[in-house]
Amino acid sequence: MTDSPVAPVQVPGTVLTIRRTGAYHTITLVAPGVAERFRPGQFVSLAVGGDESSMLTRRCFFVREVKPDYGGTVEIVFAVRGAGTRWLAALRPRDILDLAGPLGRPFPLPRHPVRCVLVGEGHSGAALFPLAAVLRQRDCAVHFVLGGADSEHVYGTRAARRVADSTSVTTEDGSLGQQGRPEDLVAAVVDEVAADVVYACGPTETLRSVTRTAAKYDLPAQVAVEEPMSCGTGVCMACALPVIDDEGVTHMARSCVEGPVFRGERVRWDDLGTIPFDAYGAPRSVLPGSLS
């Protein structure tokens, strides 16, 4: 297992570089204190919009890489989807923004060398690369399955081929690798490499399917969810999802604090976006018969 996460820090992050990576943007920030505390699977939150912005909520991003350079650098990858990410994409070297991290619970790590399948879709797959680096340090076999809508939306194929024992790629339009989605290849790869564990990061449907495939092989699945986060610290409750605990009781877990990494089989995928009637603390108004 991983070491317990240490307390995050809030620092001014200085933009070192910003570049396009296919359909995505990659920013490297000088953020002393964050890099040395980081564990694979954790994320950072950024204040966006500048001093005059009306965008009050922060934006949260998985971490692609950390390095000790310049006192500690943090690299994130993101897609432009709204005003906040458009503002980020327009930053220039030496710009400064407010950064907090590392946040959340990291991926559990195996104590002994095992065979690992890492499944990523879109730019969320960036979160798997620091994990892959640590797994290789522990003499684990690493097999990537990466996908996206098209070749521009698959992240990290070259990097994956450098670090992994094998890399399988799929696109929905067939422009790169096999046509389909990442989950379409997981069973074949798990079977071929005799996997011991599956790690995944991507959209909900991908995580749901990967979890079900792992369960068929009786394998643990560790998944990093993409639930939208506003505060990143557990205050706003915007990212809560139903998760089953060790006693079999469903709790509404905050992705930013109890996650973003969860055991896939513990997440109630079909109940996302709801408070199940049997969840601990569920309001009586959602209990069966409460309206009779």
Side-chain angles (χ1 to χ4, degrees), residues 126-148:
L128 299 172
F129 287 92
L131 171 65
V134 174
L135 291 173
R136 294 312 300 259
Q137 290 173 4
R138 297 187 175 212
D139 295 324
C140 293
V142 173
H143 303 273
F144 268 101
V145 178
L146 300 174

Side-chain angles (χ1 to χ4, degrees), residues 12-18 27-30 90-97:
T14 303
V15 177
L16 185 64
T17 63
I18 181 167
I27 293 183
T28 302
L29 299 163
V30 178
L91 292 175
R92 295 293 180 264
R94 295 189 296 278
D95 285 342
I96 296 175
L97 67 168

Side-chain angles (χ1 to χ4, degrees), residues 64-143:
R64 162 63 175 85
E65 187 176 46
V66 297
K67 290 182 178 179
D69 306 18
Y70 306 99
T73 61
V74 175
E75 184 176 280
I76 63 170
V77 181
F78 65 93
V80 173
R81 292 177 175 169
T85 45
R86 280 198 301 272
W87 180 84
L88 282 176
L91 292 175
R92 295 293 180 264
R94 295 189 296 278
D95 285 342
I96 296 175
L97 67 168
D98 182 274
L99 180 149
L103 300 168
R105 298 192 64 81
F107 285 112
L109 298 174
R111 294 187 175 91
H112 307 288
V114 295
R115 296 174 293 274
C116 309
V117 174
L118 279 56
V119 186
E121 183 168 3
H123 68 285
S124 295
L128 299 172
F129 287 92
L131 171 65
V134 174
L135 291 173
R136 294 312 300 259
Q137 290 173 4
R138 297 187 175 212
D139 295 324
C140 293
V142 173
H143 303 273

Side-chain angles (χ1 to χ4, degrees), residues 10 15 45 65 79 92 99 103 110 125 136 141 153 156 158 162-163 169 176 179 191 221 237 254 264 287:
Q10 186 172 2
V15 177
S45 74
E65 187 176 46
R92 295 293 180 264
L99 180 149
L103 300 168
R136 294 312 300 259
H153 288 83
R158 292 182 181 178
R162 286 195 298 267
V163 70
V169 179
L176 184 66
Q179 186 168 11
D191 193 47
M237 296 295 292
R254 297 163 297 178
L287 292 174

Side-chain angles (χ1 to χ4, degrees), residues 133-278:
V134 174
L135 291 173
R136 294 312 300 259
Q137 290 173 4
R138 297 187 175 212
D139 295 324
C140 293
V142 173
H143 303 273
F144 268 101
V145 178
L146 300 174
D150 52 44
S151 59
E152 290 290 295
H153 288 83
V154 179
Y155 180 81
T157 53
R158 292 182 181 178
R161 287 168 178 149
R162 286 195 298 267
V163 70
D165 295 279
S166 71
T167 301
S168 302
V169 179
T170 178
T171 49
E172 293 180 33
D173 68 352
S175 58
L176 184 66
Q178 297 187 39
Q179 186 168 11
R181 295 174 59 87
E183 58 265 34
D184 299 333
L185 298 182
V186 172
V189 174
V190 164
D191 193 47
E192 180 180 350
V193 306
D196 298 301
V197 60
V198 178
Y199 295 93
C201 187
T204 295
E205 187 53 44
T206 297
L207 302 184
R208 186 203 321 257
S209 297
V210 168
T211 297
R212 290 174 176 170
T213 298
K216 291 178 182 178
Y217 286 86
D218 197 26
L219 298 179
Q222 299 289 343
V223 301
V225 299
E226 282 190 336
E227 290 296 298
M229 303 177 191
S230 295
C231 69
T233 58
V235 175
C236 70
M237 296 295 292
C239 62
L241 73 168
V243 177
I244 303 169
D245 68 14
D246 292 339
E247 305 300 322
V249 178
T250 296
H251 292 261
M252 297 305 295
R254 297 163 297 178
S255 301
C256 61
V257 176
E258 286 82 32
V261 177
F262 294 98
R263 289 171 57 177
E265 71 275 13
R266 296 289 183 87
V267 178
R268 291 178 57 165
W269 299 106
D270 295 336
D271 293 318
L272 295 188
T274 72
I275 302 177
F277 75 87
D278 57 342

